Amino acid sequence: MRTRLIGRMQSAAPFIGLALAWWALTTTHAIPRAFFPRPGDVWEFFLQSVADGSLVHHLGISLGRLLVSFMAGSGIGMILGFLMGLFDPLGRFLRPLVSFFNSISGITWLPLVMLWIGLGEPAVGFVILNAVVFVVALNTMVGVQVVPRVYEHALYTLGGTRWHVIRDVLVPGALPHILAGWRIALGMAWRALIAGEIVASSSGIGYQIYLGSSYFKQDMVVMGILIVGIMAALLDRLLFEPLEHATVRRWGLVVEHKA
């Protein structure tokens, strides 16, 4: 219990230091308030946004878009990655193409997407899904390929089928790489979401950031940025960390180094 508390304090220390530096720089006017608001200004705007319901409204829309598109993109990416990892000729053929599209995924497609399908939900959803699919596919493929083949041969020797190999060997063995891909893809999904909402939507946290910039409301802009960072950290902690501890750490596929 004490070790866990110390670990949490160590994790929070950099953010506390950053907040103190922010407060000192803005309070002493080292940074003009016209360029960057004080912490108190952002806190007041946050309370106001919660009270009038605007923050809950826009945040709910953004989280809905993010989770639906992220789950769809992760599913497609995992299927594609497993196929590429299981069938070497297919992997060799598709890997350069997937790597190419991975380098231009996400917000790069916004100008064309707005021309093809217009503004609104489809455009934002496509950009998020596109940012997720190829990252997850590449990590899944690598995860499948690095599983030692001796485990497969051992299961075949015991009478296992191809399905048993996939279920009992390849999926658990590839899971650390899949989880890493999900975490990377979630960060890219947030960037795609915010960019899509700024350019192609009239709702969401990204749209709020755009409105704040348009009306020179720096407290609104900074609040939106902080909300994105906090929500991304919470999603990682609430979704991926429990899944990691319940699977790859429990199975001994990764080792947790302690200071």
Side-chain angles (χ1 to χ4, degrees):
M1 185 70 180
R2 182 179 178 183
T3 304
R4 184 179 299 178
L5 180 61
I6 293 174
R8 290 180 177 177
M9 291 176 63
Q10 290 176 339
S11 300
F15 296 99
I16 295 173
L18 184 62
L20 290 174
W22 173 17
W23 175 82
L25 289 172
T26 52
T27 303
T28 59
H29 303 290
I31 300 178
R33 289 182 62 185
F35 295 135
F36 209 77
R38 296 178 301 180
D41 298 332
V42 177
W43 178 249
E44 289 178 7
F45 188 82
F46 169 77
L47 293 178
Q48 176 187 333
S49 300
V50 172
D52 62 24
S54 61
L55 178 60
V56 175
H57 171 72
H58 288 289
L59 182 59
I61 290 174
S62 292
L63 287 176
R65 289 169 175 161
L66 180 83
L67 293 177
V68 170
S69 299
F70 179 80
M71 291 173 64
S74 295
I76 296 171
M78 286 179 61
I79 293 172
L80 179 60
F82 267 106
L83 291 175
M84 293 167 61
L86 289 171
F87 305 105
D88 289 337
L90 181 66
R92 288 194 299 270
F93 177 76
L94 288 181
R95 183 167 186 168
L97 196 62
V98 172
S99 298
F100 171 79
F101 281 108
N102 183 48
S103 66
I104 58 173
S105 63
I107 61 177
T108 313
W109 289 96
L110 266 173
L112 285 176
V113 170
M114 289 189 295
L115 178 64
W116 294 340
I117 57 180
L119 305 178
E121 300 294 335
V124 178
F126 176 87
V127 170
I128 300 171
L129 186 143
N130 187 266
V132 171
V133 168
F134 302 108
V135 175
V136 174
L138 286 173
N139 277 271
T140 302
M141 181 195 69
V142 172
V144 172
Q145 291 178 340
V146 299
V147 176
R149 291 297 176 258
V150 66
Y151 298 149
E152 294 184 38
H153 299 154
L155 194 54
Y156 282 134
T157 303
L158 294 173
T161 64
R162 184 62 168 168
W163 165 245
H164 292 130
V165 169
I166 294 173
R167 185 191 65 186
D168 299 328
V169 175
L170 296 181
V171 172
L175 195 55
H177 286 82
I178 296 173
L179 280 172
W182 284 345
R183 280 178 156 152
I184 296 170
L186 182 62
M188 298 186 69
W190 272 109
R191 297 169 198 161
L193 169 72
I194 299 305
E197 289 180 342
I198 288 175
V199 176
S201 180
S202 58
S203 60
I205 294 296
Y207 178 70
Q208 272 202 316
I209 293 174
Y210 168 74
L211 281 184
S213 176
S214 299
Y215 293 115
F216 300 99
K217 292 180 64 65
Q218 307 305 331
D219 50 356
M220 188 175 182
V221 173
V222 174
M223 184 200 73
I225 294 171
L226 291 176
I227 289 294
V228 170
I230 291 169
M231 292 306 303
L234 284 175
L235 285 176
D236 182 81
R237 190 171 188 84
L238 296 176
L239 294 179
F240 296 139
E241 285 193 11
L243 179 60
E244 182 181 57
H245 282 280
T247 55
V248 296
R249 295 193 184 280
R250 180 181 176 184
W251 298 338
L253 296 173
V254 297
V255 179
E256 187 173 3
H257 296 284
K258 297 182 179 180

